[in-house]
Each structure stands twice: as C-alpha cells, then as structure tokens.
Amino acid sequence: MALRSDIGRIRLLNEDQGWCGELEPGLVVAIVADGMGGHQAGDVASKLAVDTFREALQGSTAAMTLEERKTLISQAILQANEVVFDTASNNEQYHNMGTTVVAALLTNENGVLGHIGDSRAYQWRDGVLTQLTEDHTLVNELVKSGQITPEEAAKHPRRNVLTRALGTDPQVEVDVRGISWLKDDLILICSDGLSSMIDAAAIIETLQQNELDLEQKADRLVQLALQAGGDDNVTVVLLHHAEDTELEG
C-alpha cells in the first residue's frame, strides 16, 4: 500500500487527511478525507473524521462477513459525522466545517467501500479503470438528469459544490457498497485534488507502468496533479492485492 499527500501549488494549508494500514493480518483499511471550512477548520474536520473512523474500527477482524463490514464502515463514518458536527456546533471558529470521506475495508476475498462527498475510489483490473464511487455534487446531479454533459461538468463554475458532506448536518447518508477484490487488482482512493486535475487516461497511463512500484505510481499521480496546476491539496492511496498479502495457511 502507498499513501501520498501534497499541499498543492495554491493552498496555504493541507486540509486533506489520509491513512492506510493493516488492522490485523488479512484486513486492510484506507481512508481519505478532504476538509473544508476555511481558517484551518477544514484541516480540523478531516483529521477528526479520520481519527474517529480509525478508532471505530478497532477490534474488527478479517473473519467478519461482508454484511458485517458494510455495517461497520457505515457506523464508523456516521460516528465521525457526529464528532465533526458536534465540534463545529460547539466552537465558533469551526462553524460550518465539514469534510468528504472515502474509505475501503478489504480482506483477501472482497471489500467494502463507504463514501460521502466527491473524494473517489477507483478499481484497476486487467487494464481497465472503473470509478466505484459516485460524486455527491451539484454538477453530477445535473449530469444524471441530462441537463449538462460530463464534459461540461468538468469545467462547470460550480463543480465543487457538494450535495452531501460529513459533519455539516446531524444526520447524513453514507453510500456503502461491496466490491470484488481479485489478485493483482489495484484500488485507488483520492481527493478531488487528483480527480479534478487529471483525467482517467493519465491515471491509466500511470497504473499500467509495470516498471514502477506502488510508491512510485502514487508519487507520479501526485506529480501529474501538480503539473496540471495543483489548484487543490492532493491525496492518493494505492492498495494492491498481491501474493504477499495472502494469509498464511
């Protein structure tokens, strides 16, 4: 697994937060949160969300069923929502802060994803890149209803307006889905500092370079976002289903 985060070329503060690790042999977790709210509030929101999420997953095991893990990831994100919302409500300087979140919980057999906002998860399998999450944004709603094209959405002046975020309301809906997870699959999770700066073709070109290891691929994706302007903080997590992640026995 590889994690990279960069402040970008414009922002004065990195409001993204990412974390990945193995909770126990055969159970891998990763999360990216992209905070917002100005005056360091976004930084606080994303860190609170990731820390609360990590805490909520303590004690989970690889033996859990897919349904149990779906419930777990949803509850962990809802717990993070509660903490961020309460902190924002009780501190004037954090008023209105919030964050996106995208998280993956993977065993050797399959995985679950949970997300809110426009941070994304992709799957790379057999030379094909598939977006696994759907952006909770105003422009995505316009695309779905046929009012604008995906090409227009990419340049729309309000493309950063979220329809759903973590921590801005006492209740929030989490999108949760199960995914297959096969040998040699890659999962990419990222903030929109990557996905809004480079297109799928540039991601594919990077992921198919077999001479690069996982760390180098993550580095290259961040560099491409910076070369494209680096308008935002950029965070990338890459997870690889490799032989050496197999459980022994």
Side-chain angles (χ1 to χ4, degrees):
M1 60 187 90
L3 165 66
R4 290 288 181 277
S5 191
D6 195 281
I7 195 167
R9 299 194 182 280
I10 310 288
R11 302 295 178 90
L12 300 174
L13 187 74
N14 192 347
E15 296 186 322
D16 284 1
Q17 191 80 19
W19 180 77
C20 59
E22 200 169 28
L23 294 182
E24 65 160 40
L27 186 64
V28 169
V29 66
I31 180 171
V32 168
D34 177 0
M36 64 219 171
H39 306 302
Q40 300 196 330
D43 176 35
V44 171
S46 59
K47 187 170 184 341
L48 274 176
V50 169
D51 289 350
T52 306
F53 176 85
R54 281 179 66 173
E55 233 164 81
L57 290 187
Q58 294 309 317
S60 49
T61 71
M64 295 173 84
T65 66
L66 185 70
E67 288 308 314
E68 284 171 336
R69 277 180 285 129
K70 279 184 179 177
T71 303
L72 179 68
I73 207 166
S74 178
Q75 287 173 341
I77 292 172
L78 290 174
Q79 207 168 315
N81 185 75
E82 205 173 297
V83 169
V84 174
F85 180 77
D86 286 351
T87 306
S89 305
N90 296 322
N91 295 276
E92 189 56 45
Q93 75 268 35
Y94 300 145
H95 186 58
N96 278 342
M97 75 174 174
T99 183
T100 69
V101 66
V102 58
L105 193 55
L106 306 165
T107 66
N108 288 332
E109 284 75 47
N110 52 41
V112 292
L113 295 175
H115 95 286
I116 300 170
D118 63 353
S119 292
R120 292 180 178 176
Y122 294 88
Q123 188 168 46
W124 172 251
R125 174 184 292 168
D126 298 333
V128 178
L129 186 71
T130 307
Q131 187 177 329
L132 300 174
T133 52
E134 190 176 285
D135 293 348
H136 299 141
T137 56
L138 179 66
V139 293
N140 195 39
E141 294 298 325
L142 296 175
V143 170
K144 286 197 307 190
S145 62
Q147 294 178 57
I148 62 172
T149 66
E151 290 72 31
E152 289 169 332
K155 297 179 172 56
H156 198 282
R158 301 190 69 197
R159 63 184 176 276
N160 293 329
V161 177
L162 297 180
T163 52
R164 212 189 298 175
L166 183 149
T168 53
D169 296 284
Q171 307 294 328
V172 70
E173 189 187 340
V174 187
D175 281 7
V176 177
R177 63 173 291 184
I179 57 165
S180 65
W181 178 230
L182 305 176
K183 284 280 178 302
D184 272 337
D185 282 359
L186 272 184
I187 297 284
L188 160 65
I189 67 176
C190 62
S191 61
D192 71 331
L194 181 77
S195 55
S196 67
M197 295 309 298
I198 66 172
D199 59 14
I203 296 175
I204 289 168
E205 193 206 341
T206 301
L207 297 184
Q208 64 192 10
Q209 293 189 26
N210 294 331
E211 69 279 9
L212 300 182
D213 66 19
L214 216 53
E215 301 277 347
Q216 291 168 319
K217 286 176 181 175
D219 278 336
R220 182 171 156 75
L221 288 171
V222 169
Q223 288 308 315
L224 288 173
L226 295 178
Q227 286 163 17
D231 295 353
D232 199 355
N233 311 141
V234 53
T235 300
V236 168
V237 177
L238 283 176
L239 305 166
H240 182 215
H241 196 320
E243 293 289 343
D244 57 10
T245 58
E246 274 266 282
L247 280 170
E248 294 299 325

